[in-house]
Amino acid sequence: MARTRAADYGEKRDAIVRNAVKIFANHGFGGASVSEIAAACSVSKSILYHYFNSKEDILYAAMQAHMEVLSATTDLSAYRGIDPSGWFQHLALNLLEHYAGAADSQKVLLNELDFLAPDQRANIVRQQRRLVDFAQQCLVEAVSPLRPERTQVRAHVMLFFGMINWSHSWFDPDRGVSRTDLARQAANAAVTGLRSWTTSRA
C-alpha cells in the first residue's frame, strides 16, 4: 500500500529547496553536501531522502522553481493594455523584479546547470529558450516597422540578457538608480542598438 503524504509535504519540500539554494549559491553544487543541507533544514539525511532521491534532484527542483517564476513573464495576460512596442521594456522590468528577490536562485541557475542529469538539463534549457524566444518577439515589436535580420535580433536579445542576468550581483536600488530606470536602460540599449544596426545595413 502506498504511503500517504503528510498535509505539509509540499511546504517541507519547498523549505528544503530554499535552504539548499542558499548553500549551492554560497559553496557551489560540488562544495555542498546532503548532510549540510539536512542540517540547515534541521532534519536527518534519511528524512531528506524522503523528499528527494538525490542532491541532483534538489538542484533540479530549485532551478525548476526559479524557471517557473521567470517563465511567468511570458504570460500574455500580463501585457494587456500595453502597446506591443512597449512589451520589451515591460519584460525587462518584470525580469529584474524577479532577479532582485531571487539572487541565490539566479546564481545557481547560471553556474550549476551542468550538474543536472541530461534530461533535467534539457528541460531547463528548453524553458530558457522559450523565454529568449519571447524576448526576441518583443524586441521585433519594439523596432517595428523595421525588419531586422533574425540573426541580429537574436544577437541583441542575448546581449540584453547578458546585461541583466548578473544584475542580482551588483544592482542596489538605494544608490540612485531605480529598478525601473535600469530596466529602461537595458531595454533601450537593445532596441537602439538593433535599430542602428538595421538602418545602417539598409
Side-chain angles (χ1 to χ4, degrees):
M1 184 176 179
R3 182 177 177 180
T4 302
R5 287 184 176 180
D8 62 350
Y9 179 90
E11 181 180 337
K12 289 183 177 179
R13 193 176 188 276
D14 291 344
I16 291 171
V17 171
R18 287 195 300 272
N19 281 290
V21 163
K22 295 177 183 178
I23 295 170
F24 293 152
N26 290 331
H27 304 297
F29 180 80
S33 68
V34 173
S35 296
E36 187 178 7
I37 296 171
C41 299
S42 300
V43 300
S44 66
K45 286 175 63 176
S46 61
I47 292 294
L48 198 71
Y49 283 121
H50 173 62
Y51 295 92
F52 295 96
N53 293 326
S54 65
K55 188 174 69 164
E56 288 78 8
D57 283 346
I58 301 175
L59 177 65
Y60 177 63
M63 290 190 179
Q64 180 63 22
H66 187 49
M67 281 309 306
E68 286 177 359
V69 175
L70 296 181
S71 295
T73 62
T74 66
D75 183 354
L76 291 179
S77 65
Y79 297 81
R80 289 175 183 164
I82 302 174
D83 188 275
S85 64
W87 283 11
F88 190 67
Q89 185 169 302
H90 188 67
L91 173 66
L93 179 57
N94 284 342
L95 289 172
L96 283 172
E97 287 178 340
H98 290 313
Y99 290 167
D104 287 342
S105 294
Q106 182 67 6
K107 183 177 180 180
V108 170
L109 179 66
L110 292 172
N111 294 331
E112 313 297 337
L113 190 62
D114 288 342
F115 287 102
L116 294 178
D119 59 330
Q120 294 174 336
R121 184 180 187 279
N123 185 42
I124 295 297
V125 170
R126 277 194 297 270
Q127 294 176 74
Q128 291 176 318
R129 286 176 178 166
R130 282 197 293 269
L131 177 58
V132 172
D133 288 345
F134 180 76
Q136 183 165 323
Q137 295 172 19
C138 292
L139 183 55
V140 169
E141 289 287 352
V143 300
S144 180
L146 295 177
R147 296 184 178 180
E149 298 174 3
R150 180 180 174 82
T151 54
Q152 286 303 320
V153 180
R154 197 67 167 193
H156 282 79
V157 165
M158 297 311 294
L159 286 169
F160 163 74
F161 277 104
M163 284 188 282
I164 69 170
N165 273 353
W166 295 95
S167 60
H168 66 278
S169 66
W170 59 265
F171 176 64
D172 184 351
D174 294 328
R175 293 188 175 180
V177 177
S178 70
R179 194 166 290 113
T180 300
D181 290 337
L182 184 63
R184 184 180 295 113
Q185 290 172 15
N188 285 347
V191 171
T192 301
L194 183 58
R195 279 178 177 160
S196 177
W197 178 273
T198 304
T199 54
S200 70
R201 299 287 168 166

